[in-house]
Amino acid sequence: MKQPYRLVRARPEPEFEISVDGAPVPAVPGQTIGAVLHGAGIRAWRATRFGGRPRGLFCGIGVCFDCLVTVNGGPSLRACLTEARPGDRVCTGEGGLAVLGEPGEPGEGPGTPHGGQENGR
Amino acid sequence: MSPEYDLVVIGAGPAGVAGALSAALAGVNVALVDGAARPGGQYFRHLPEGFHPGRPGALHHGLDRFTRQWEALRERATLLLGHRVWAVERDEQGVSVRCLEGDREERPRTVTGRRLLLATGAHDRPLPFPGWDLPGVLTAGGAQALLKGNLVVAGRRVVVAGTGPFLLPVAAGLAEAGADVRGVFEANGRLGLARHPLLAAGKAGEAAGYAVSLARHRVPYHGRQAVIEAHGEGGLTHVTVARLDRHWRPVSTRTVECDTLAYGYGFVPQLELPVQLGCATRRDADGGPVVAVDAGQRTSVPGVYAAGESTGVGGAVLAEVEGRIAGRTAAADLGRRVGPLPALLRRRERLSAFARALLTAYPVRPGWQRWLREDTLVCRCEEVPLSGVREARELGATDARSIKLLARPGMGWCQGRMCGYAVACLAGENVSAPRRPIAQPIRLGDLAALTRSPLEG
Ligand SMILES: Cc1cc2nc3c(=O)[nH]c(=O)nc-3n(C[C@H](O)[C@H](O)[C@H](O)COP(=O)(O)OP(=O)(O)OC[C@H]3O[C@@H](n4cnc5c(N)ncnc54)[C@H](O)[C@@H]3O)c2cc1C
Ligand code: FES
């Protein structure tokens, strides 16, 4: 058994699968999508808007927004906060990493509509 | 309409849970709100039930005590987990706490209370350096959250770097969990684990535990060394470690192979909600802004209390003590009978003096700015390189605010949470309290659906 599981004497429930660009990846109930991907060795799932730089987890607690991910075709979510559900389809973009929209763009999911005005008054 | 609750507490970490319980025990009708699905905050981050851990406390010191507090609170208060607070408003009646419920669906919900206790904690303070945005580079807290909350080990071969005593539990946790920890690189002087300040605070058991664990796993601990560059194509393969002089300027360098870096240079309190409410801030021992509170943990805004990391970074034990004091003050202010507890106040003084000493012993020294190159990203979100910040300065932007308006660092998704400290340092300023009208992202549709937006006025 995996060493961290031994450490806490975990008796995990049966794993379920999510799919990442069509490939199955196992998840323990309650794990976040970010943890599932990172644990499976997938460390980048989007590309930045300008430089096309690969990004995955950084802060791990929902403050940096590097881990934004497209799940089931829906709006982008923070992978580090979002619990995986059986059958979730994660898309990292065709032939490369997904480029997500501007902060706060309508329809682009969790926007920070006035983010650009912080301190700007 | 009169408020639903006497007291709303935001944050289910050690500060918020202790505060909620103290108030509830004094007969106060409490609601506790947290964005996370499980209680614990950062320190006592819980594993999902799906793991059925037989020894959950193996990853946390003092978990039993927290669990008892949580169980006692369950019977006495309304617990609203999975509720992210994006704004708080105040009027004569009390406070309205605007939440989004659920991690995907985001149902809006407003919780009202006569009083409010803010216990929102902190996040890591990363410094920028070349390659800090490569996949595989994580904050120290992020690596800890993966382990404590998901039983995922951040990497196979891991380097731990930065400054402060928090690097020890992170490295020890990773090593215990099976990672090959290539070393701990503490940018400040190596105090020697035996003389580690945790010992001075009577936390000898905890510090010794980490030291033993690092020794058993043969993890070297290096003082005055730092990771100044991360390398790899698409993902981390190695880092450059430098010996530093007293100002943190690199003296010599070498390469360490690793697939993961977990690093942090202290913590930044989450201040958006207190700042929204107009709570006064003060400078902590490290120059960073924190919520100013009186001896009873009252902020400058009537009816609003604060405890834990948001009033100064000091760790889980201090957070709990502050939470207890805040909960008791709120209960007394609500007319409940609460006796004095001088021992608790003395304990807080002792612990916060120690916290200030730690902040002074583990400062961030200006030499880190020499680790950056012209093309090093300062802002990860808007991808603003150092050259962009320099150009803005040459155009006449002399302070952090005008640099931001010209070059856009801090204008992206994270709203400067990751780069705010660095940009302020590069502008030669003290960091100022963040002004973020929205504490958590909210879809425009949800915002429009709310009759009165807190953005007005
Ligand atoms: C990622 C991370 C990992 C850490 N791990 C350790 C560790 O292993 N050991 C250690 O000694 N110290 C650790 N720390 C330091 C930690 O800050 C303190 O030990 C302690 O947890 C502080 O307690 P607190 O109650 O002040 O805040 P926290 O424990 O941080 O609790 C704050 C709570 O408020 C909630 N919250 C914040 N904003 C909102 C909002 N807008 N809406 C709803 N809920 C909100 C958060 O979800 C969180 O549960 C860590 C810090 C971080 C950032
Ligand atoms: S890793 Fe920072 S928001 Fe998810």
Side-chain angles (χ1 to χ4, degrees):
Chain A
M1 201 206 277
K2 294 182 200 163
Q3 201 160 330
Y5 289 25
R6 268 205 310 273
L7 199 60
V8 298
R9 305 227 176 93
R11 285 158 281 125
E13 283 169 18
E15 294 178 338
F16 60 78
E17 277 176 1
I18 68 170
S19 89
V20 181
D21 297 333
V25 176
V28 174
Q31 282 183 321
T32 64
I33 292 179
V36 169
L37 297 180
H38 192 94
I42 303 165
R43 287 169 160 224
W45 45 86
R46 77 169 177 105
T48 58
R49 269 182 297 149
F50 305 120
R53 295 176 171 87
R55 295 278 171 87
L57 293 181
F58 180 60
C59 76
I61 61 164
V63 289
C64 76
F65 292 82
D66 259 347
C67 67
L68 291 174
V69 68
T70 309
V71 184
N72 304 330
S76 46
L77 298 167
R78 281 171 285 180
C80 66
L81 297 185
T82 309
E83 282 188 12
R85 293 179 188 167
D88 274 346
R89 281 171 291 109
V90 170
C91 181
T92 71
E94 267 176 53
L97 299 165
V99 178
L100 299 168
E102 291 265 357
E105 236 172 53
E108 279 294 342
T112 47
H114 286 242
Q117 286 182 8
E118 177 214 347
N119 278 356
R121 41 178 83 191
Chain B
M1 215 174 65
S2 63
E4 298 159 88
Y5 299 96
D6 291 332
L7 175 69
V8 179
V9 180
I10 307 179
V17 167
L21 181 59
S22 298
L25 289 171
V28 172
N29 177 18
V30 180
L32 175 67
V33 180
D34 196 298
R38 288 173 294 280
Q42 302 305 345
Y43 186 85
F44 294 118
R45 182 178 288 275
H46 282 35
L47 278 174
E49 262 122 55
F51 283 104
H52 303 287
R55 260 179 73 208
L59 295 169
H60 319 60
H61 246 266
L63 182 64
D64 285 353
R65 180 180 165 83
F66 180 86
T67 308
R68 283 199 302 277
Q69 290 176 337
W70 181 252
E71 290 306 322
L73 190 60
R74 248 182 209 289
E75 297 161 12
R76 294 174 174 85
T78 304
L79 305 176
L80 301 170
L81 294 170
H83 284 63
R84 289 184 284 127
V85 178
W86 62 273
V88 185
E89 294 146 61
R90 193 174 151 270
D91 60 21
E92 317 77 58
Q93 301 266 359
V95 290
S96 300
V97 177
R98 307 272 192 196
C99 313
L100 293 169
E101 191 189 345
D103 66 353
R104 301 192 193 193
E105 289 79 13
E106 305 207 325
R107 291 168 298 273
R109 165 152 186 197
T110 300
V111 182
T112 55
R114 293 171 62 199
R115 312 266 163 156
L116 177 70
L117 167 55
L118 297 162
T120 47
H123 58 74
D124 282 272
R125 181 165 64 193
L127 290 177
F129 62 89
W132 70 307
D133 70 327
L134 271 177
V137 178
L138 299 174
T139 63
Q144 192 76 333
L146 271 178
L147 183 59
K148 283 185 169 180
N150 294 276
L151 283 189
V152 168
V153 189
R156 272 200 191 90
R157 294 203 290 177
V158 188
V159 164
V160 176
T163 193
F166 178 51
L167 302 181
L168 295 178
V170 172
L174 287 165
E176 296 284 332
D180 170 12
V181 180
R182 311 302 310 274
V184 180
F185 300 94
E186 163 61 64
N188 279 298
R190 184 196 149 90
L191 294 160
L193 288 180
R195 279 173 45 223
H196 201 278
L198 278 177
L199 299 172
K203 296 187 86 184
E206 189 180 336
Y210 300 138
V212 166
S213 158
L214 293 182
R216 188 173 60 232
H217 295 282
R218 297 205 165 74
V219 176
Y221 180 88
H222 305 278
R224 274 275 160 81
Q225 296 190 27
V227 169
I228 62 161
E229 184 161 4
H231 312 265
E233 290 292 322
L236 183 66
T237 52
H238 57 291
V239 294
T240 302
V241 169
R243 276 182 194 290
L244 305 175
D245 70 8
R246 306 192 280 124
H247 306 290
W248 289 14
R249 290 175 301 214
V251 177
S252 60
T253 61
R254 69 192 157 104
T255 296
V256 178
E257 283 182 21
C258 59
D259 54 46
T260 303
L261 169 65
Y263 86 111
Y265 287 87
F267 294 100
V268 179
Q270 311 229 52
L271 298 184
E272 28 287 301
L273 297 176
V275 170
Q276 272 181 15
L277 287 165
C279 299
T281 58
R282 65 173 179 90
R283 298 219 168 275
D284 209 353
D286 66 351
V290 298
V291 182
V293 288
D294 72 5
Q297 305 288 140
R298 293 180 194 88
T299 71
S300 64
V301 175
V304 180
Y305 310 79
E309 306 287 62
S310 48
T311 63
V313 171
V317 180
L318 176 60
E320 187 209 314
V321 170
E322 290 173 348
R324 285 173 66 192
I325 294 170
R328 296 167 64 88
T329 308
D333 293 351
L334 284 158
R336 303 303 191 284
R337 199 187 291 272
V338 187
L341 215 57
L344 197 60
L345 300 181
R346 282 199 303 273
R347 186 130 186 260
R348 180 186 56 193
E349 293 329 309
R350 247 192 347 265
L351 288 165
S352 54
F354 172 60
R356 285 193 299 275
L358 275 186
L359 287 178
T360 317
Y362 295 98
V364 173
R365 309 241 180 229
W368 67 266
Q369 296 181 24
R370 301 215 177 182
W371 309 348
L372 310 194
R373 288 195 302 252
E374 286 297 304
D375 64 350
T376 303
L377 294 189
V378 173
C379 166
R380 305 163 67 89
C381 304
E382 292 294 296
E383 299 168 75
V384 183
L386 179 65
S387 59
V389 173
R390 292 232 164 106
E391 266 162 40
R393 293 198 75 179
E394 274 154 29
L395 289 174
T398 48
D399 57 300
R401 189 179 153 270
S402 28
I403 290 176
K404 184 162 159 176
L405 291 175
L406 279 182
R408 296 188 59 79
M411 296 280 229
W413 286 96
C414 91
Q415 298 189 56
R417 286 175 176 90
M418 292 295 108
C419 68
Y421 179 80
V423 173
C425 292
L426 291 169
E429 284 176 16
N430 259 325
V431 192
S432 51
R435 292 189 146 275
R436 298 183 186 111
I438 295 189
Q440 288 282 323
I442 173 167
R443 293 197 192 114
L444 288 177
D446 291 343
L447 193 60
L450 294 162
T451 43
R452 190 178 146 259
S453 138
L455 297 173
E456 296 164 2

